[in-house]
């Protein structure tokens, strides 16, 4: 089966996988494996796609990259180059974004349990927007703003009660969710009253996010309609006019041949059409439309390179091929039963003889799987295996389980590679440890 080649990926004249003009077998040699390689041009084009769609629709908009999908200093700088804003969900992400030089006003802060210290840090930095998630946060944030004698632009995160089709762990917009104020029970309205009555808040708009890896526009359509209905209602009853409407992220991407996602821009068009039409009909000023794509900006741009090691054939049952990484740098198969594809980065040998194998990692547990059942050319120890579409929620969810160091990350563009996250060393692993005595 032909591998899926994303972005600038291609097989070069040596029949080696090339990403961003760089031969991946050379990258594996130079930087070692496991290695995350990002196709920078692919990230740029995804980012531009969103911005251009809004421009074509002549709509005011903000594309805030959901940095939880993958981030580091260079990544923040890249999205800044492309004119995107970003959202952060922790003090750590905020710190990294600021350190990367992102202007605080271009940052939005999410989370269902932001701590005092995190909120204080955000306010001190003069962060652009805080997305208020719950009643506790209204009180906490208000008290910090009072202490600091500051006013803060905020959005209210609402749970619109939409069950978008995706893995249950990554659903967020349904009523039974830990995120946001529920609309149906009246909590959202109660939150609105509190925020409007508090002089420390400048309520600039409303937010919702219905889930992740969503393949059709139906969920977005329903969520947008529900949010618009709330906006019309609150204008009539509270004279509140939302300057911005943030409809979150969640646009699906292609992991395997079976996935058939829409162009990310298709979701934007659907959302925008509903917003425009409702505003015209109801004589409501068109709000600035914000979206928060994470996965759709980085997933397909990322490829993980592994070196094949041991192989175990259990006659009639399964053949395990082990690679030098696993659930440490990619826990998505173990956690969500996520599906991926892989192929040898060097295809100059005999690719005809295929076998059905399962790709496993080097971690000490049976759940440490990367791919269950995939037909691959016969692999031998030392071969470089490229696992595609690993750019989102891979490195960002990495752990040091079994005290394995986290891998390095390289950006490839126009034939040049740049190390953007160093490989962790054993020294790094003991860096925080203190002796018994
Ligand atoms: N905005 C909010 C408020 C979110 O909670 C998320 C993701 C996003 C935007 C970005 O969604 P995206 O465009 O990336 O789908 N670890 C899981 C995904 C968790 C998503 C959490 N929230 C995974 O590996 O599939």
């Amino acid at each position: 089966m032909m591998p899926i080649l994303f972005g600038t990926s291609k097989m070069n004249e040596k029949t080696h996988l090339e990403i961003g003009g760089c031969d991946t077998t050379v990258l594996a040699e130079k930087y070692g494996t496991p290695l995350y390689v990002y196709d920078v041009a692919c990230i740029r084009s995804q980012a531009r796609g969103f911005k251009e769609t809004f421009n074509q629709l002549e709509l005011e908009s903000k594309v805030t990259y959901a940095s939880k999908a993958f981030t580091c200093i260079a990544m923040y700088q890249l999205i800044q180059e492309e004119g995107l804003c970003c959202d952060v969900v922790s003090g750590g992400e905020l710190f990294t974004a600021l350190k990367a030089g992102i202007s605080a006003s271009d940052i939005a802060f999410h989370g269902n349990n932001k701590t005092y210290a995190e909120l204080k840090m955000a306010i001190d930095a003069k962060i652009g927007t805080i997305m208020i998630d719950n009643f506790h946060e209204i009180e906490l944030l208000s008290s910090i703003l009072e202490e600091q004698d500051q006013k803060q632009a905020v959005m209210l995160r609402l749970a619109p009660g939409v069950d978008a089709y995706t893995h249950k762990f990554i659903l967020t917009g349904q009523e039974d969710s830990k995120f946001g104020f529920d609309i149906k029970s009246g909590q959202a309205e109660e939150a609105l009253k509190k925020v409007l009555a508090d002089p420390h808040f400048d309520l600039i708009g409303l937010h919702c996010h219905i889930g992740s890896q969503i393949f059709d526009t139906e969920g977005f359509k329903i969520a947008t309609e529900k949010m618009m209905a709330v906006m019309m209602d609150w204008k009539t009853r509270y004279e509140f006019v939302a300057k911005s409407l943030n409809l979150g992220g969640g646009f699906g991407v292609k992991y395997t041949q079976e996935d058939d996602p829409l162009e990310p821009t298709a979701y934007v068009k659907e959302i925008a059409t509903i917003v425009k039409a409702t505003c015209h009909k109801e004589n409501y000023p068109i709000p600035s439309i914000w979206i928060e794509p994470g996965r759709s900006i980085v997933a397909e741009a990322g490829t993980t390179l592994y070196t094949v090691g041991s192989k175990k054939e259990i006659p009639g049952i399964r053949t395990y091929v082990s690679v030098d990484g696993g659930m440490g740098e990619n826990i998505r198969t173990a956690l969500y039963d996520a599906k991926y594809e892989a192929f040898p980065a060097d295809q100059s040998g005999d690719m005809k003889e295929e076998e059905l194998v399962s790709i496993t990692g080097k971690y000490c547990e049976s759940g440490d799987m990367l791919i269950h059942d995939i037909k691959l050319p016969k692999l031998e120890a030392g071969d470089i295996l490229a696992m595609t579409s690993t750019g989102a929620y891979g490195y960002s969810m990495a752990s040091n389980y079994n005290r394995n160091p986290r891998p390095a990350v390289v950006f490839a563009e126009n034939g040049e590679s740049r190390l953007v996250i160093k490989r962790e060393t054993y020294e790094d692993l003991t860096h925080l440890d203190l002796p018994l005595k």
Side-chain angles (χ1 to χ4, degrees):
M1 193 191 273
M2 264 304 286
I4 315 170
L5 295 173
F6 297 101
T8 68
S9 294
K10 61 172 190 180
M11 301 311 289
N12 67 15
E13 64 289 350
K14 291 186 185 158
T15 52
H16 292 177
L17 171 65
E18 194 177 285
I19 300 176
C22 300
D23 185 320
T24 53
T25 65
V26 175
L27 295 179
E29 178 81 33
K30 181 170 177 188
Y31 300 103
T33 58
L35 183 70
Y36 272 104
V37 181
Y38 279 90
D39 177 351
V40 175
C42 184
I43 299 177
R44 290 192 197 280
S45 92
Q46 294 303 97
R48 280 174 201 172
F50 284 117
K51 289 209 74 170
E52 278 159 16
T53 308
F54 278 118
N55 288 345
Q56 281 160 14
L57 295 166
E58 294 179 358
L59 280 169
E60 222 191 287
S61 66
K62 225 181 211 191
V63 181
T64 66
Y65 170 60
S67 56
K68 74 199 84 169
F70 166 68
T71 204
C72 60
I73 289 185
M75 183 63 204
Y76 280 121
Q77 291 170 337
L78 179 58
I79 62 129
Q80 191 178 38
E81 269 184 20
E82 290 305 324
L84 265 56
C85 300
C86 68
D87 82 43
V88 299
V89 292
S90 68
E93 284 185 355
L94 175 57
F95 180 84
T96 314
L98 293 171
K99 192 165 174 169
I102 302 261
S103 154
S105 59
D106 285 343
I107 304 176
F109 196 0
H110 263 294
N112 66 303
N113 194 19
K114 306 174 192 82
T115 63
Y116 173 89
E118 286 175 323
L119 288 171
K120 172 92 168 40
M121 178 180 171
I123 290 165
D124 285 346
K126 302 220 160 29
I127 197 165
T129 320
I130 295 182
M131 322 301 279
I132 298 186
D133 181 274
N134 53 73
F135 292 111
H136 167 73
E137 190 177 336
I138 295 179
E139 306 291 318
L140 185 59
L141 189 55
S142 177
S143 69
I144 304 170
L145 290 164
E146 171 71 32
E147 269 162 40
Q148 305 284 114
D149 195 21
Q150 256 173 262
K151 192 170 176 147
Q152 175 65 49
V154 296
M155 278 195 186
L156 276 185
R157 177 169 183 166
L158 308 188
V162 175
D163 278 301
Y165 174 70
T166 187
H167 191 287
K168 70 175 186 312
F169 289 0
I170 49 183
L171 273 176
T172 49
Q174 72 280 26
E175 279 155 30
D176 181 6
S177 163
K178 73 168 181 169
F179 299 105
F181 298 99
D182 174 47
I183 297 176
K184 207 169 147 195
S185 65
Q187 287 184 348
E189 192 169 330
E190 205 185 316
L192 173 83
K193 287 193 252 176
K194 281 189 190 294
V195 168
L196 287 181
D198 190 322
H200 299 104
F201 297 129
D202 173 18
L203 182 63
I204 61 166
L206 305 179
H207 169 278
C208 74
H209 169 79
I210 56 172
S212 198
Q213 185 60 357
I214 298 166
F215 276 119
D216 61 32
T217 56
E218 195 55 24
F220 289 103
K221 188 171 165 263
I222 300 171
T224 310
E225 285 167 356
K226 285 196 172 189
M227 295 296 281
M228 293 304 291
V230 169
M231 279 159 55
M232 301 308 134
D233 181 35
W234 288 358
K235 179 170 174 261
T236 313
R237 292 194 298 123
Y238 299 97
E239 289 176 10
F240 166 69
V241 176
K243 291 202 270 302
S244 323
L245 172 62
N246 188 330
L247 294 160
F251 318 121
V253 304
K254 195 172 179 76
Y255 285 101
T256 70
Q257 308 275 357
E258 268 124 61
D259 295 333
D260 190 16
L262 297 168
E263 282 295 308
T265 51
Y267 301 97
V268 170
K269 285 185 188 146
E270 178 88 28
I271 288 166
T273 310
I274 299 170
V275 175
K276 263 186 169 176
T278 317
C279 287
H280 282 143
K281 190 165 152 248
E282 305 285 341
N283 200 20
Y284 194 100
I286 298 179
S288 169
I289 302 178
W290 295 21
I291 53 165
E292 304 171 324
R295 191 189 313 266
S296 51
I297 303 264
V298 282
E300 295 173 3
T303 299
T304 320
L305 303 178
Y306 293 106
T307 303
V308 172
S310 65
K311 194 168 173 179
K312 175 177 175 177
E313 296 185 38
I314 314 169
I317 297 185
R318 184 182 298 279
T319 297
Y320 286 96
V321 170
S322 299
V323 295
D324 54 352
M327 65 195 298
E329 74 290 327
N330 191 341
I331 200 172
R332 297 194 69 260
T333 308
L335 196 55
Y336 313 117
D337 198 19
K339 304 279 182 285
Y340 287 97
E341 285 177 4
F343 54 91
D346 177 351
Q347 305 216 346
S348 58
D350 176 16
M351 293 294 123
K352 293 222 173 66
E353 207 190 334
E354 288 197 331
E355 58 180 349
L356 185 68
V357 297
S358 287
I359 309 295
T360 182
K362 67 193 292 287
Y363 292 74
C364 287
E365 64 177 80
S366 304
D368 172 30
M369 296 298 294
L370 290 172
I371 303 178
H372 297 274
D373 299 326
I374 180 171
K375 266 197 173 156
L376 285 175
K378 285 218 156 171
L379 293 166
E380 283 172 19
D383 285 348
I384 301 297
L385 190 70
M387 191 161 129
T388 44
S389 207
T390 57
Y393 305 105
Y395 190 92
S396 65
M397 292 174 76
S399 78
N400 289 123
Y401 186 38
N402 294 167
R403 288 243 154 174
N404 281 306
R406 284 176 299 168
V409 182
V410 159
F411 275 7
E413 188 175 31
N414 300 325
E416 285 183 15
S417 63
R418 169 181 277 276
L419 188 64
V420 294
I421 304 181
K422 291 193 273 187
R423 182 175 302 284
E424 250 174 347
T425 64
Y426 292 141
E427 268 310 314
D428 292 332
L429 290 177
T430 51
H431 190 63
L432 302 174
D433 293 5
L434 297 168
L436 181 61
K437 283 186 182 142

